[in-house]
Short mmCIF file of all heavy atoms in Angstrom, two decimals:
data_model
loop_
_atom_site.label_atom_id
_atom_site.label_comp_id
_atom_site.label_asym_id
_atom_site.label_seq_id
_atom_site.Cartn_x
_atom_site.Cartn_y
_atom_site.Cartn_z
N MET A 1 111.00 127.70 105.90
CA MET A 1 110.34 126.55 106.51
C MET A 1 109.94 125.55 105.43
O MET A 1 109.42 125.93 104.39
CB MET A 1 109.11 127.05 107.28
CG MET A 1 108.60 126.03 108.26
SD MET A 1 107.47 126.81 109.43
CE MET A 1 105.93 126.16 108.85
N SER A 2 110.18 124.27 105.65
CA SER A 2 109.88 123.28 104.62
C SER A 2 108.40 122.88 104.67
O SER A 2 107.74 122.99 105.70
CB SER A 2 110.77 122.06 104.79
OG SER A 2 110.59 121.53 106.07
N GLU A 3 107.92 122.43 103.53
CA GLU A 3 106.53 121.98 103.44
C GLU A 3 106.32 120.72 104.27
O GLU A 3 107.21 119.88 104.32
CB GLU A 3 106.18 121.65 101.99
CG GLU A 3 105.84 122.85 101.14
CD GLU A 3 105.37 122.41 99.77
OE1 GLU A 3 104.25 121.86 99.67
OE2 GLU A 3 106.11 122.62 98.80
N PRO A 4 105.15 120.55 104.86
CA PRO A 4 104.89 119.31 105.60
C PRO A 4 104.84 118.11 104.66
O PRO A 4 104.45 118.23 103.50
CB PRO A 4 103.52 119.56 106.25
CG PRO A 4 102.91 120.68 105.51
CD PRO A 4 104.02 121.48 104.89
N ILE A 5 105.25 116.98 105.19
CA ILE A 5 105.26 115.75 104.39
C ILE A 5 103.91 115.06 104.51
O ILE A 5 103.32 114.98 105.59
CB ILE A 5 106.37 114.81 104.88
CG1 ILE A 5 107.73 115.45 104.62
CG2 ILE A 5 106.29 113.44 104.19
CD1 ILE A 5 108.89 114.71 105.26
N CYS A 6 103.41 114.60 103.38
CA CYS A 6 102.15 113.87 103.35
C CYS A 6 102.33 112.59 102.54
O CYS A 6 102.88 112.61 101.44
CB CYS A 6 101.06 114.74 102.73
SG CYS A 6 99.46 113.92 102.65
N ILE A 7 101.86 111.49 103.08
CA ILE A 7 101.88 110.22 102.37
C ILE A 7 100.46 109.92 101.93
O ILE A 7 99.55 109.76 102.75
CB ILE A 7 102.41 109.09 103.27
CG1 ILE A 7 103.84 109.39 103.70
CG2 ILE A 7 102.35 107.75 102.54
CD1 ILE A 7 104.42 108.37 104.67
N LEU A 8 100.26 109.88 100.61
CA LEU A 8 98.96 109.55 100.05
C LEU A 8 98.93 108.08 99.66
O LEU A 8 99.86 107.59 99.00
CB LEU A 8 98.68 110.40 98.80
CG LEU A 8 98.55 111.91 99.01
CD1 LEU A 8 98.36 112.59 97.67
CD2 LEU A 8 97.41 112.23 99.96
N ILE A 9 97.87 107.39 100.07
CA ILE A 9 97.74 105.97 99.76
C ILE A 9 96.40 105.76 99.06
O ILE A 9 95.33 105.98 99.65
CB ILE A 9 97.82 105.12 101.04
CG1 ILE A 9 99.16 105.41 101.74
CG2 ILE A 9 97.67 103.63 100.71
CD1 ILE A 9 99.29 104.81 103.12
N CYS A 10 96.46 105.37 97.80
CA CYS A 10 95.24 105.20 97.01
C CYS A 10 94.30 104.18 97.67
O CYS A 10 94.72 103.08 98.04
CB CYS A 10 95.61 104.74 95.60
SG CYS A 10 94.17 104.38 94.60
N GLN A 11 93.05 104.57 97.78
CA GLN A 11 92.02 103.67 98.34
C GLN A 11 90.94 103.39 97.31
O GLN A 11 89.84 102.98 97.65
CB GLN A 11 91.41 104.28 99.61
CG GLN A 11 92.40 104.46 100.74
CD GLN A 11 92.95 103.14 101.23
OE1 GLN A 11 92.20 102.29 101.70
NE2 GLN A 11 94.27 102.96 101.12
N ASN A 12 91.25 103.66 96.06
CA ASN A 12 90.27 103.39 95.02
C ASN A 12 90.19 101.89 94.73
O ASN A 12 90.96 101.10 95.27
CB ASN A 12 90.62 104.19 93.76
CG ASN A 12 89.41 104.49 92.92
OD1 ASN A 12 88.34 104.79 93.44
ND2 ASN A 12 89.57 104.39 91.61
N ARG A 13 89.28 101.53 93.87
CA ARG A 13 88.89 100.13 93.74
C ARG A 13 90.04 99.15 93.47
O ARG A 13 90.18 98.16 94.18
CB ARG A 13 87.85 100.02 92.61
CG ARG A 13 87.17 98.69 92.57
CD ARG A 13 86.00 98.72 91.65
NE ARG A 13 86.37 99.14 90.31
CZ ARG A 13 85.51 99.50 89.38
NH1 ARG A 13 84.23 99.51 89.64
NH2 ARG A 13 85.92 99.87 88.19
N THR A 14 90.85 99.42 92.48
CA THR A 14 91.89 98.45 92.11
C THR A 14 92.93 98.31 93.21
O THR A 14 93.32 97.20 93.58
CB THR A 14 92.56 98.85 90.78
OG1 THR A 14 91.54 99.09 89.82
CG2 THR A 14 93.47 97.76 90.29
N CYS A 15 93.39 99.43 93.74
CA CYS A 15 94.39 99.36 94.81
C CYS A 15 93.80 98.70 96.05
O CYS A 15 94.49 97.97 96.76
CB CYS A 15 94.91 100.75 95.14
SG CYS A 15 96.07 101.39 93.91
N LYS A 16 92.51 98.95 96.29
CA LYS A 16 91.88 98.34 97.46
C LYS A 16 91.85 96.82 97.34
O LYS A 16 92.11 96.11 98.31
CB LYS A 16 90.47 98.90 97.64
CG LYS A 16 90.09 98.98 99.09
CD LYS A 16 89.11 100.10 99.34
CE LYS A 16 89.07 100.34 100.84
NZ LYS A 16 88.13 101.35 101.21
N LYS A 17 91.57 96.35 96.13
CA LYS A 17 91.60 94.89 95.90
C LYS A 17 92.99 94.33 96.14
O LYS A 17 93.14 93.15 96.44
CB LYS A 17 91.20 94.59 94.45
CG LYS A 17 89.73 94.50 94.21
CD LYS A 17 89.49 94.00 92.80
CE LYS A 17 88.10 94.38 92.33
NZ LYS A 17 87.99 94.39 90.88
N GLN A 18 93.99 95.16 95.97
CA GLN A 18 95.37 94.70 96.11
C GLN A 18 95.93 94.94 97.51
O GLN A 18 97.14 94.82 97.72
CB GLN A 18 96.24 95.39 95.05
CG GLN A 18 95.85 94.96 93.64
CD GLN A 18 96.57 95.74 92.56
OE1 GLN A 18 96.64 96.96 92.59
NE2 GLN A 18 97.11 95.04 91.58
N GLY A 19 95.07 95.34 98.45
CA GLY A 19 95.51 95.43 99.85
C GLY A 19 95.78 96.82 100.37
O GLY A 19 96.46 96.98 101.39
N ALA A 20 95.25 97.85 99.71
CA ALA A 20 95.56 99.22 100.10
C ALA A 20 95.03 99.59 101.49
O ALA A 20 95.63 100.43 102.16
CB ALA A 20 95.01 100.20 99.07
N ALA A 21 93.94 98.98 101.91
CA ALA A 21 93.40 99.32 103.23
C ALA A 21 94.38 98.92 104.34
O ALA A 21 94.58 99.66 105.30
CB ALA A 21 92.05 98.64 103.45
N ALA A 22 95.02 97.78 104.17
CA ALA A 22 96.00 97.33 105.17
C ALA A 22 97.24 98.23 105.16
O ALA A 22 97.83 98.51 106.21
CB ALA A 22 96.41 95.89 104.90
N VAL A 23 97.61 98.71 103.98
CA VAL A 23 98.76 99.61 103.88
C VAL A 23 98.44 100.94 104.58
O VAL A 23 99.27 101.47 105.34
CB VAL A 23 99.14 99.85 102.40
CG1 VAL A 23 100.26 100.89 102.28
CG2 VAL A 23 99.56 98.55 101.74
N LEU A 24 97.22 101.46 104.36
CA LEU A 24 96.82 102.70 105.01
C LEU A 24 96.79 102.54 106.53
O LEU A 24 97.29 103.39 107.27
CB LEU A 24 95.45 103.14 104.50
CG LEU A 24 94.86 104.40 105.11
CD1 LEU A 24 95.76 105.62 104.88
CD2 LEU A 24 93.46 104.67 104.55
N ALA A 25 96.23 101.44 107.00
CA ALA A 25 96.15 101.21 108.44
C ALA A 25 97.54 101.12 109.05
O ALA A 25 97.81 101.71 110.11
CB ALA A 25 95.36 99.93 108.72
N ALA A 26 98.44 100.42 108.38
CA ALA A 26 99.81 100.29 108.89
C ALA A 26 100.52 101.64 108.89
O ALA A 26 101.23 101.98 109.84
CB ALA A 26 100.58 99.28 108.05
N ALA A 27 100.31 102.43 107.83
CA ALA A 27 100.97 103.73 107.75
C ALA A 27 100.48 104.65 108.86
O ALA A 27 101.27 105.38 109.46
CB ALA A 27 100.70 104.36 106.38
N ARG A 28 99.18 104.59 109.14
CA ARG A 28 98.64 105.45 110.21
C ARG A 28 99.22 105.05 111.56
O ARG A 28 99.44 105.89 112.43
CB ARG A 28 97.12 105.37 110.23
CG ARG A 28 96.53 106.17 109.10
CD ARG A 28 95.02 106.29 109.21
NE ARG A 28 94.54 107.31 108.28
CZ ARG A 28 93.42 107.22 107.59
NH1 ARG A 28 92.63 106.18 107.73
NH2 ARG A 28 93.06 108.20 106.78
N THR A 29 99.46 103.78 111.75
CA THR A 29 100.01 103.29 113.01
C THR A 29 101.50 103.64 113.15
O THR A 29 101.96 104.03 114.22
CB THR A 29 99.85 101.76 113.10
OG1 THR A 29 98.46 101.46 113.01
CG2 THR A 29 100.40 101.20 114.39
N MET A 30 102.22 103.54 112.05
CA MET A 30 103.68 103.63 112.12
C MET A 30 104.23 105.04 111.93
O MET A 30 105.36 105.32 112.34
CB MET A 30 104.29 102.73 111.04
CG MET A 30 104.00 101.26 111.26
SD MET A 30 104.46 100.26 109.83
CE MET A 30 106.23 100.46 109.84
N SER A 31 103.48 105.93 111.28
CA SER A 31 104.05 107.24 110.94
C SER A 31 104.18 108.13 112.16
O SER A 31 103.29 108.16 113.01
CB SER A 31 103.15 107.94 109.93
OG SER A 31 103.15 107.23 108.74
N PRO A 32 105.26 108.89 112.23
CA PRO A 32 105.39 109.88 113.30
C PRO A 32 104.37 111.00 113.10
O PRO A 32 103.90 111.22 111.97
CB PRO A 32 106.83 110.40 113.14
CG PRO A 32 107.21 110.10 111.74
CD PRO A 32 106.40 108.89 111.32
N PRO A 33 104.02 111.74 114.16
CA PRO A 33 102.95 112.73 114.05
C PRO A 33 103.23 113.85 113.05
O PRO A 33 102.29 114.45 112.53
CB PRO A 33 102.82 113.30 115.48
CG PRO A 33 103.91 112.70 116.27
CD PRO A 33 104.53 111.60 115.51
N GLU A 34 104.47 114.12 112.75
CA GLU A 34 104.77 115.22 111.82
C GLU A 34 104.55 114.83 110.36
O GLU A 34 104.62 115.68 109.47
CB GLU A 34 106.20 115.75 112.02
CG GLU A 34 107.29 114.76 111.73
CD GLU A 34 107.69 113.91 112.94
OE1 GLU A 34 106.88 113.77 113.89
OE2 GLU A 34 108.80 113.37 112.91
N ILE A 35 104.26 113.56 110.10
CA ILE A 35 103.97 113.12 108.74
C ILE A 35 102.48 112.80 108.64
O ILE A 35 101.96 111.97 109.39
CB ILE A 35 104.80 111.88 108.36
CG1 ILE A 35 106.29 112.24 108.34
CG2 ILE A 35 104.37 111.32 106.99
CD1 ILE A 35 107.20 111.08 107.99
N ALA A 36 101.80 113.48 107.70
CA ALA A 36 100.38 113.22 107.49
C ALA A 36 100.21 111.98 106.62
O ALA A 36 100.97 111.77 105.67
CB ALA A 36 99.73 114.42 106.82
N VAL A 37 99.22 111.17 106.94
CA VAL A 37 98.91 109.98 106.14
C VAL A 37 97.46 110.09 105.72
O VAL A 37 96.57 110.26 106.57
CB VAL A 37 99.12 108.69 106.96
CG1 VAL A 37 98.67 107.47 106.16
CG2 VAL A 37 100.59 108.54 107.37
N GLU A 38 97.20 110.00 104.42
CA GLU A 38 95.82 110.15 103.95
C GLU A 38 95.51 109.12 102.88
O GLU A 38 96.32 108.86 102.00
CB GLU A 38 95.62 111.54 103.35
CG GLU A 38 95.71 112.65 104.39
CD GLU A 38 95.58 114.03 103.77
OE1 GLU A 38 95.12 114.13 102.62
OE2 GLU A 38 95.94 114.98 104.46
N GLY A 39 94.31 108.57 102.96
CA GLY A 39 93.79 107.78 101.86
C GLY A 39 93.34 108.73 100.77
O GLY A 39 92.93 109.86 101.05
N CYS A 40 93.45 108.32 99.53
CA CYS A 40 93.07 109.22 98.45
C CYS A 40 92.41 108.43 97.32
O CYS A 40 92.38 107.20 97.35
CB CYS A 40 94.30 109.97 97.93
SG CYS A 40 95.48 108.91 97.11
N GLY A 41 91.90 109.15 96.36
CA GLY A 41 91.31 108.54 95.18
C GLY A 41 92.39 108.04 94.24
O GLY A 41 93.59 108.09 94.56
N CYS A 42 91.96 107.59 93.09
CA CYS A 42 92.87 106.96 92.13
C CYS A 42 94.05 107.87 91.79
O CYS A 42 93.88 109.05 91.48
CB CYS A 42 92.09 106.63 90.86
SG CYS A 42 93.10 105.84 89.62
N LEU A 43 95.24 107.29 91.83
CA LEU A 43 96.47 108.02 91.51
C LEU A 43 96.90 107.79 90.06
O LEU A 43 98.00 108.19 89.67
CB LEU A 43 97.59 107.62 92.47
CG LEU A 43 97.42 108.11 93.92
CD1 LEU A 43 98.46 107.46 94.83
CD2 LEU A 43 97.52 109.62 94.01
N GLY A 44 96.05 107.13 89.29
CA GLY A 44 96.32 106.97 87.87
C GLY A 44 97.30 105.86 87.53
O GLY A 44 97.85 105.85 86.42
N ASN A 45 97.56 104.98 88.46
CA ASN A 45 98.46 103.86 88.19
C ASN A 45 97.80 102.54 88.55
O ASN A 45 98.44 101.64 89.11
CB ASN A 45 99.75 104.03 88.99
CG ASN A 45 100.73 104.95 88.30
OD1 ASN A 45 101.37 104.57 87.33
ND2 ASN A 45 100.82 106.18 88.79
N CYS A 46 96.53 102.43 88.23
CA CYS A 46 95.76 101.24 88.59
C CYS A 46 96.44 99.99 88.03
O CYS A 46 96.91 99.98 86.89
CB CYS A 46 94.36 101.33 88.02
SG CYS A 46 93.61 102.94 88.23
N GLY A 47 96.47 98.95 88.85
CA GLY A 47 97.10 97.71 88.44
C GLY A 47 98.49 97.56 88.98
O GLY A 47 99.05 96.47 89.00
N ASN A 48 99.08 98.66 89.40
CA ASN A 48 100.43 98.62 89.99
C ASN A 48 100.37 98.81 91.50
O ASN A 48 101.39 99.05 92.15
CB ASN A 48 101.32 99.71 89.39
CG ASN A 48 101.61 99.45 87.94
OD1 ASN A 48 101.86 98.32 87.55
ND2 ASN A 48 101.55 100.49 87.12
N GLY A 49 99.17 98.75 92.05
CA GLY A 49 98.98 99.09 93.45
C GLY A 49 99.28 97.96 94.40
O GLY A 49 99.64 96.86 93.97
N PRO A 50 99.09 98.29 95.65
CA PRO A 50 98.69 99.58 96.17
C PRO A 50 99.71 100.69 95.86
O PRO A 50 100.91 100.49 96.08
CB PRO A 50 98.59 99.36 97.68
CG PRO A 50 98.40 97.89 97.84
CD PRO A 50 99.16 97.27 96.72
N MET A 51 99.20 101.81 95.36
CA MET A 51 100.07 102.94 95.00
C MET A 51 100.19 103.90 96.18
O MET A 51 99.21 104.20 96.86
CB MET A 51 99.46 103.72 93.83
CG MET A 51 99.51 102.99 92.50
SD MET A 51 101.18 102.56 91.94
CE MET A 51 101.98 104.18 91.96
N VAL A 52 101.40 104.41 96.36
CA VAL A 52 101.69 105.37 97.42
C VAL A 52 102.46 106.53 96.80
O VAL A 52 103.37 106.32 95.98
CB VAL A 52 102.54 104.71 98.54
CG1 VAL A 52 103.00 105.74 99.57
CG2 VAL A 52 101.74 103.60 99.23
N LEU A 53 102.08 107.75 97.18
CA LEU A 53 102.76 108.96 96.70
C LEU A 53 103.16 109.81 97.89
O LEU A 53 102.33 110.14 98.73
CB LEU A 53 101.83 109.75 95.77
CG LEU A 53 102.32 111.12 95.30
CD1 LEU A 53 103.62 111.01 94.49
CD2 LEU A 53 101.24 111.80 94.45
N VAL A 54 104.45 110.14 97.97
CA VAL A 54 104.95 110.97 99.06
C VAL A 54 105.12 112.39 98.54
O VAL A 54 105.82 112.62 97.54
CB VAL A 54 106.29 110.43 99.60
CG1 VAL A 54 106.81 111.34 100.72
CG2 VAL A 54 106.12 109.00 100.13
N LEU A 55 104.45 113.34 99.21
CA LEU A 55 104.52 114.76 98.84
C LEU A 55 105.26 115.53 99.94
O LEU A 55 105.23 115.11 101.10
CB LEU A 55 103.10 115.32 98.69
CG LEU A 55 102.27 114.68 97.58
CD1 LEU A 55 100.84 115.23 97.63
CD2 LEU A 55 102.89 114.91 96.21
N PRO A 56 105.91 116.63 99.66
CA PRO A 56 105.96 117.32 98.37
C PRO A 56 107.03 116.80 97.41
O PRO A 56 107.15 117.30 96.31
CB PRO A 56 106.28 118.77 98.79
CG PRO A 56 107.11 118.62 100.02
CD PRO A 56 106.58 117.39 100.73
N ALA A 57 107.79 115.78 97.81
CA ALA A 57 108.89 115.31 96.95
C ALA A 57 108.40 114.58 95.71
O ALA A 57 109.16 114.36 94.77
CB ALA A 57 109.81 114.40 97.76
N ARG A 58 107.12 114.19 95.68
CA ARG A 58 106.54 113.45 94.56
C ARG A 58 107.29 112.14 94.29
O ARG A 58 107.68 111.83 93.17
CB ARG A 58 106.46 114.30 93.28
CG ARG A 58 105.64 115.54 93.44
CD ARG A 58 105.23 116.17 92.14
NE ARG A 58 104.34 115.33 91.37
CZ ARG A 58 103.02 115.21 91.58
NH1 ARG A 58 102.46 115.90 92.55
NH2 ARG A 58 102.29 114.44 90.84
N ILE A 59 107.50 111.38 95.34
CA ILE A 59 108.14 110.07 95.21
C ILE A 59 107.04 109.02 95.19
O ILE A 59 106.20 108.97 96.09
CB ILE A 59 109.12 109.82 96.39
CG1 ILE A 59 110.21 110.88 96.36
CG2 ILE A 59 109.71 108.41 96.29
CD1 ILE A 59 111.08 110.88 97.60
N TRP A 60 107.09 108.19 94.15
CA TRP A 60 106.08 107.17 93.96
C TRP A 60 106.59 105.81 94.42
O TRP A 60 107.75 105.46 94.19
CB TRP A 60 105.72 107.05 92.47
CG TRP A 60 105.06 108.23 91.90
CD1 TRP A 60 105.66 109.36 91.42
CD2 TRP A 60 103.65 108.45 91.73
NE1 TRP A 60 104.71 110.25 90.97
CE2 TRP A 60 103.48 109.71 91.15
CE3 TRP A 60 102.53 107.67 92.03
CZ2 TRP A 60 102.22 110.23 90.84
CZ3 TRP A 60 101.27 108.19 91.73
CH2 TRP A 60 101.13 109.45 91.14
N TYR A 61 105.69 105.05 95.02
CA TYR A 61 105.97 103.65 95.35
C TYR A 61 104.83 102.82 94.81
O TYR A 61 103.67 103.23 94.88
CB TYR A 61 106.05 103.46 96.87
CG TYR A 61 107.21 104.20 97.52
CD1 TYR A 61 107.03 105.48 98.02
CD2 TYR A 61 108.46 103.61 97.62
CE1 TYR A 61 108.08 106.16 98.62
CE2 TYR A 61 109.52 104.28 98.22
CZ TYR A 61 109.32 105.55 98.72
OH TYR A 61 110.35 106.23 99.31
N TYR A 62 105.15 101.67 94.28
CA TYR A 62 104.10 100.81 93.77
C TYR A 62 104.19 99.40 94.37
O TYR A 62 105.24 99.00 94.86
CB TYR A 62 104.13 100.76 92.24
CG TYR A 62 105.40 100.22 91.65
CD1 TYR A 62 105.53 98.88 91.33
CD2 TYR A 62 106.48 101.07 91.42
CE1 TYR A 62 106.69 98.38 90.80
CE2 TYR A 62 107.66 100.58 90.90
CZ TYR A 62 107.76 99.23 90.58
OH TYR A 62 108.93 98.75 90.08
N ARG A 63 103.07 98.70 94.30
CA ARG A 63 102.94 97.35 94.91
C ARG A 63 103.42 97.35 96.35
O ARG A 63 104.19 96.48 96.77
CB ARG A 63 103.67 96.31 94.07
CG ARG A 63 103.06 96.17 92.69
CD ARG A 63 103.48 94.90 91.97
NE ARG A 63 102.82 94.85 90.68
CZ ARG A 63 103.40 95.23 89.53
NH1 ARG A 63 104.64 95.62 89.51
NH2 ARG A 63 102.71 95.18 88.42
N VAL A 64 102.97 98.36 97.10
CA VAL A 64 103.42 98.51 98.48
C VAL A 64 102.68 97.51 99.38
O VAL A 64 101.47 97.33 99.26
CB VAL A 64 103.16 99.96 98.97
CG1 VAL A 64 103.52 100.10 100.44
CG2 VAL A 64 103.97 100.94 98.12
N ARG A 65 103.44 96.88 100.24
CA ARG A 65 102.88 95.98 101.25
C ARG A 65 103.08 96.63 102.61
O ARG A 65 104.01 97.45 102.78
CB ARG A 65 103.60 94.63 101.20
CG ARG A 65 103.47 93.92 99.86
CD ARG A 65 104.56 92.88 99.70
NE ARG A 65 105.87 93.52 99.79
CZ ARG A 65 107.03 92.88 99.97
NH1 ARG A 65 107.05 91.58 100.08
NH2 ARG A 65 108.16 93.55 100.05
N PRO A 66 102.28 96.27 103.60
CA PRO A 66 102.46 96.90 104.92
C PRO A 66 103.90 96.79 105.43
O PRO A 66 104.42 97.73 106.03
CB PRO A 66 101.48 96.12 105.81
CG PRO A 66 100.40 95.70 104.87
CD PRO A 66 101.10 95.38 103.57
N GLN A 67 104.56 95.68 105.13
CA GLN A 67 105.93 95.52 105.62
C GLN A 67 106.94 96.42 104.90
O GLN A 67 108.09 96.51 105.34
CB GLN A 67 106.36 94.05 105.56
CG GLN A 67 106.31 93.43 104.19
CD GLN A 67 105.01 92.69 103.92
OE1 GLN A 67 103.93 93.14 104.30
NE2 GLN A 67 105.09 91.54 103.25
N ASP A 68 106.52 97.08 103.82
CA ASP A 68 107.41 98.01 103.12
C ASP A 68 107.43 99.39 103.79
O ASP A 68 108.27 100.23 103.45
CB ASP A 68 106.96 98.20 101.66
CG ASP A 68 107.03 96.92 100.86
OD1 ASP A 68 107.94 96.10 101.12
OD2 ASP A 68 106.16 96.74 99.98
N LEU A 69 106.53 99.63 104.70
CA LEU A 69 106.39 100.99 105.25
C LEU A 69 107.60 101.42 106.07
O LEU A 69 107.93 102.60 106.09
CB LEU A 69 105.11 101.11 106.05
CG LEU A 69 103.90 101.22 105.12
CD1 LEU A 69 102.62 100.89 105.84
CD2 LEU A 69 103.83 102.60 104.49
N THR A 70 108.26 100.50 106.71
CA THR A 70 109.45 100.87 107.46
C THR A 70 110.47 101.49 106.51
O THR A 70 111.05 102.55 106.79
CB THR A 70 110.06 99.64 108.17
OG1 THR A 70 109.07 99.10 109.04
CG2 THR A 70 111.28 100.01 108.97
N THR A 71 110.66 100.87 105.35
CA THR A 71 111.61 101.37 104.36
C THR A 71 111.15 102.74 103.84
O THR A 71 111.95 103.67 103.71
CB THR A 71 111.71 100.38 103.18
OG1 THR A 71 112.06 99.11 103.70
CG2 THR A 71 112.75 100.82 102.17
N ILE A 72 109.86 102.87 103.53
CA ILE A 72 109.35 104.13 102.99
C ILE A 72 109.48 105.24 104.03
O ILE A 72 109.93 106.34 103.71
CB ILE A 72 107.88 103.96 102.55
CG1 ILE A 72 107.82 103.05 101.33
CG2 ILE A 72 107.23 105.32 102.25
CD1 ILE A 72 106.42 102.63 100.91
N LEU A 73 109.14 104.96 105.26
CA LEU A 73 109.21 106.00 106.30
C LEU A 73 110.65 106.38 106.57
O LEU A 73 110.96 107.57 106.80
CB LEU A 73 108.52 105.52 107.57
CG LEU A 73 106.99 105.47 107.47
CD1 LEU A 73 106.39 104.69 108.64
CD2 LEU A 73 106.40 106.87 107.39
N THR A 74 111.56 105.45 106.53
CA THR A 74 112.98 105.77 106.72
C THR A 74 113.47 106.67 105.58
O THR A 74 114.18 107.66 105.81
CB THR A 74 113.81 104.47 106.77
OG1 THR A 74 113.33 103.67 107.84
CG2 THR A 74 115.29 104.77 106.99
N ALA A 75 113.07 106.35 104.35
CA ALA A 75 113.48 107.15 103.20
C ALA A 75 112.83 108.53 103.22
O ALA A 75 113.40 109.51 102.73
CB ALA A 75 113.10 106.42 101.91
N THR A 76 111.66 108.62 103.80
CA THR A 76 110.91 109.88 103.82
C THR A 76 111.48 110.81 104.87
O THR A 76 111.55 112.01 104.71
CB THR A 76 109.42 109.61 104.11
OG1 THR A 76 108.91 108.77 103.08
CG2 THR A 76 108.61 110.89 104.18
S1 FES B 101 93.01 102.50 91.82
FE1 FES B 101 94.85 103.04 92.81
S2 FES B 101 95.94 104.06 91.26
FE2 FES B 101 94.00 103.73 90.39
#
């Protein structure tokens, strides 16, 4: 059985200034129920945000905008 997929979206200060709250809201709306979406603390890439990390594959996305989520979810 494969591990469940989780999309982590940094909600720490720098990413939040760069629009991370809107990315999290869009991801929660758009993701299918089998994919977990969670806000998280700093992912260590401040300044390149909003940062998104897809687990368990450990795929990173940077400077994510809400309109990028269709692409990310399709790839996921
Ligand atoms: S604040 Fe988002 S990666 Fe640090």
Side-chain angles (χ1 to χ4, degrees):
M1 197 164 107
S2 58
E3 279 186 71
I5 295 171
C6 180
I7 299 177
L8 295 177
I9 302 171
C10 175
Q11 297 296 299
N12 206 40
R13 192 169 56 194
T14 309
C15 285
K16 213 151 195 183
K17 275 188 201 159
Q18 295 173 312
V23 175
L24 178 60
R28 284 189 167 142
T29 301
M30 296 170 66
S31 295
E34 64 271 23
I35 296 179
V37 175
E38 293 177 16
C40 67
C42 181
L43 290 171
N45 277 285
C46 316
N48 293 319
M51 289 300 305
V52 173
L53 173 61
V54 178
L55 298 174
R58 300 197 65 80
I59 299 170
W60 294 84
Y61 295 92
Y62 61 94
R63 296 196 179 98
V64 176
R65 300 160 300 165
Q67 59 266 39
D68 297 326
L69 284 161
T70 301
T71 305
I72 291 171
L73 288 167
T74 301
T76 300

